[in-house]
Amino acid sequence: MKLIYESYYQNLGQNIAFYRNRRKLTQLKLSELVEISRNHLSRIENADCAVSLDTVFAIADALGVEPYKLFQDKE
């Protein structure tokens, strides 16, 4: 992950956590729905790793939101 994109990854991770909590899902439950490890989901939410678009799309589907919402700034 390039440091110049760190703020984008942080925003993405915060949005995933926001929508996950809104749906009252644990990291473990969401990771099972997306078929990734809980550790990987945690790293995504904490902007500690890069993430593929396939994984972002799977997370969006599991959360019931359009993928673009995971990239929007919260105001």
Side-chain angles (χ1 to χ4, degrees):
M1 171 173 72
K2 293 184 178 183
L3 288 179
I4 60 172
Y5 299 125
E6 185 174 8
S7 65
Y8 295 119
Y9 282 100
Q10 288 173 344
N11 189 56
L12 174 65
Q14 289 170 354
N15 285 335
I16 290 170
F18 171 81
Y19 288 110
R20 178 177 59 76
N21 288 320
R22 191 173 179 188
R23 297 249 351 248
K24 296 181 175 31
L25 295 172
T26 63
Q27 283 184 340
L28 180 60
K29 183 60 181 172
L30 180 57
S31 68
E32 289 171 349
L33 293 171
V34 179
E35 298 181 352
I36 60 175
S37 72
R38 190 214 52 85
N39 184 53
H40 187 61
L41 179 60
S42 175
R43 291 185 68 211
I44 293 167
E45 286 187 359
N46 290 303
D48 191 37
C49 68
V51 57
S52 73
L53 283 176
D54 286 345
T55 300
V56 171
F57 296 152
I59 290 170
D61 285 347
L63 293 173
V65 299
E66 293 294 324
Y68 76 89
K69 290 192 174 197
L70 298 179
F71 294 98
Q72 286 184 319
D73 285 333
K74 296 272 186 261
E75 297 181 24

